Amino acid sequence: MIQLNPIAVHEMLVHEQTLFAEKHPQSKANFQAGQAHYLYGAPSHWMRRWSGGFPLVAQSAQGTHLRCVDGQDYVDFCLGDTGGMCGHGHPAVTEGVAAQLSRGATLMLPTEDAQWVGQELTRRFSLPYWGFTTSASDANRAAIRIARMVTGREKVLVFNGCYHGSVEEAHVALGDQGEMVMRNGIHANAVDHARVSKVVEFNDIAALQAALADGDVACVLTEPFMTNYGMFAPKPGFLDALRAACTATGTLLIIDETHTFSNGPGGCTGAQGLQPDFFVVGKAVGGGIPVGLYGVSQAVAERMWQVVPKVNPTEVRQSAHLGFGGTLAGSALQVAAVRAVLTHVLTDEAFGRMVALAALLAERTRSVIERHKLPWFVALMGARMETLYHPDEPFDATDVKNGRDGVLESLLHVYFMNRGVLITPFHSMLLMCPASTEGDCERYLQVLEGFCTALIARCEAR
Ligand code: PMP
């Protein structure tokens, strides 16, 4: 195995960032101007995380291709960190959304699309009852709130390395001594995590059982395959043990498939027959229109109706708040977007192609890595693949953390951008959409080949 030289990696990063700045003067100037208007230079703080030192300013995007204001063309494997999994500007989404926009975007009334969408959600993800929110973060919050309402418990258990959006309870991690700490980058903000959160390592059944045994956890919130701290899979039997431990302790199970929807048309839940009490999905399912969805099991719905009756009492004119969702949740526009996506875009057939292409890309990436004797691991989950820069398959966040090389990852991202390939800035994740082609993958593989050769030559020269 090749040993990388950290000084050589750092020198290459400086060189590539200089090149990036030279190639993108307008994007750079735009980001500098944005400092006067935005807290972190751009409309969302996430946008500054691209490793060029500033984000590209996008001019247009179509299918898998994106063009920036500096006139460069990119193959986009980031796809908005999955929000763009339909491919950019998909005609069916554009038509469905534009048609509804012209008929009324938000009416505080259901449209006929809602019946089709409700039925389709159950067909794909199996849970019988659904609610809309405006983001996956908010859908997780709704699920947590219901879990607390029906269990009367306060704590939420999450796994180390998780990300579930701006859900306060999930902003925790395991410290070096196994203690609960705030997640890196999170600052104390008066939320008492000791009161509301618990965190254990993914795949650690004994720790999970011990944490639930106290009987104070309302719900476990997890992805069925972790994607947000490097991709790591459940070990055989782990998800069954999780379900059993929840059932045994009266804890509710929220499966968050916001990212793992890329596993296939029904996410991991559909494919593996998982039996969550709540199911959450967002981002891609709205084709770019802000949508979150939470599904609820029959048993949880019945408990919920005992707390908050199904039929509104006629004498109550005020204070009928349920405490979740918002006025734009379930809007005609959102429902039309989900209908267009599930009917025409993220279909069984499209997933078949996307998953096959991702598998091919993973296999060919592995062979480039092996040929160059680099100590890297390629993870694959449905239409999504990711390279981790250490040799062994990780099974929890500590495995990932121990093998992480932030400078190498930053270098790789900017090197790829300089050669027309966009990879998700927070991970080295590549996602397929229905418009992805073997030609797109070829472009990535060519750049990877050049990257490995240049990296090794630079390290050997040092
Ligand atoms: N759940 C998971 C698993 C996610 O990865 C994310 C976002 N990356 C969210 C929830 C939150 O989604 P949003 O930012 O759209 O609220």
Side-chain angles (χ1 to χ4, degrees), residues 205-370:
I205 298 173
L208 171 70
Q209 287 169 337
L212 296 186
D214 301 335
D216 58 354
V217 176
C219 56
V220 173
L221 170 60
T222 187
E223 294 185 278
F225 187 124
M226 299 289 271
T227 66
N228 276 304
Y229 197 82
M231 278 165 54
F232 43 95
K235 286 184 179 167
F238 178 69
L239 294 178
D240 289 339
L242 168 61
R243 177 64 273 180
C246 286
T247 305
T249 55
T251 311
L252 298 174
L253 176 59
I254 307 173
I255 297 276
D256 176 357
E257 298 238 33
T258 303
H259 277 179
T260 53
F261 181 29
S262 58
N263 186 60
C268 295
T269 297
Q272 297 166 35
L274 304 180
Q275 302 208 312
D277 299 298
F278 299 89
F279 176 97
V280 165
V281 70
K283 302 211 274 191
V285 78
I289 298 296
V291 173
L293 283 159
Y294 56 96
V296 180
S297 72
Q298 184 71 35
V300 170
E302 282 169 15
R303 288 169 73 183
M304 178 68 184
W305 293 326
Q306 281 170 20
V307 182
V308 181
K310 209 170 181 184
V311 180
N312 235 3
T314 37
E315 70 275 13
V316 178
R317 300 295 311 157
Q318 298 293 326
S319 299
H321 308 276
L322 214 53
F324 43 79
T327 42
L328 293 175
S331 72
L333 192 70
Q334 285 186 321
V335 179
V338 174
R339 181 167 192 170
V341 168
L342 297 183
T343 308
H344 300 294
V345 190
L346 296 177
T347 58
D348 292 13
E349 189 269 327
F351 267 112
R353 281 184 287 113
M354 289 153 64
V355 168
L357 198 56
L360 184 72
L361 184 62
E363 192 188 307
R364 294 197 51 201
T365 302
R366 282 185 195 116
S367 75
V368 174
I369 290 171
E370 272 164 32

Side-chain angles (χ1 to χ4, degrees), residues 61 72 97 143 148 163 187-188 277 313 324 348 390 423:
Q72 319 271 352
V97 167
R148 285 177 168 151
Y163 181 71
H187 296 275
D277 299 298
F324 43 79
D348 292 13
H390 49 89
I423 302 174

Side-chain angles (χ1 to χ4, degrees), residues 26-43:
Q26 295 203 43
S27 294
K28 185 174 181 188
N30 187 294
F31 188 59
Q32 275 162 355
Q35 304 301 327
H37 312 299
Y38 294 104
L39 203 47
Y40 292 105

